[in-house]
Amino acid sequence: MTSLIFSTAARFLLPLLLLFSLFLLVTGHNEPGGGFVGGLVAAGAFTLYAIAYGVEATRHLLRVDPRLPVAIGLLVIVTSGVIGLFRRQPFLAARWWDLPVPGAGPVTVGTPMVFDVGVYLVVVGTTLTIIISLAEE
């Protein structure tokens, strides 16, 4: 697309949408959002960029094949499930840890958050693989 207004807006919206997708990912465990919705927003941000600048510019921006986040996300999901098995609990059983963060105090991290990160990566990778494949035809 050759519209100067659209391409400028896409350039400024991309980081805002990616930041919003991370916000949805982090807050999604207790509020609306999560890995799926955050992943869709992130894929939408890259799709907007692809419409404005083309597929090659988007591939250059991504720097990795969109299938790589799918593989990493599936590995993260399986890892979050296997942690329960090592504790003699069912697959995908939730485990929680308090991590000390300087200046913020202890932050509680659990396997559901790790699972959400995996879902985020799978959704981003799958959606971008489909959209880029369709755009190249």
Side-chain angles (χ1 to χ4, degrees), residues 15-76:
L16 293 176
L17 288 171
L18 290 177
L19 188 63
F20 182 60
S21 75
L22 292 176
F23 171 77
L24 289 173
L25 170 66
V26 172
T27 62
H29 188 66
N30 297 323
E31 296 177 16
F36 188 83
V37 175
L40 285 178
V41 170
F46 285 111
T47 302
L48 182 69
Y49 192 85
I51 292 171
Y53 293 99
V55 173
E56 285 306 314
T58 305
R59 282 188 181 275
H60 181 72
L61 180 68
L62 287 172
R63 298 184 182 169
V64 294
D65 190 296
R67 292 176 288 187
L68 182 63
V70 176
I72 294 172
L74 289 174
L75 184 64
V76 168

Side-chain angles (χ1 to χ4, degrees), residues 55-113:
V55 173
E56 285 306 314
T58 305
R59 282 188 181 275
H60 181 72
L61 180 68
L62 287 172
R63 298 184 182 169
V64 294
D65 190 296
R67 292 176 288 187
L68 182 63
V70 176
I72 294 172
L74 289 174
L75 184 64
V76 168
I77 289 171
V78 169
T79 302
S80 73
V82 170
I83 290 172
L85 294 176
F86 287 122
R87 306 278 303 178
R88 296 181 185 237
Q89 293 177 333
F91 184 72
L92 290 174
R95 296 286 307 154
W96 300 94
W97 299 276
D98 287 328
L99 297 177
V101 176
V107 174
T108 304
V109 178
T111 54
M113 182 64 189

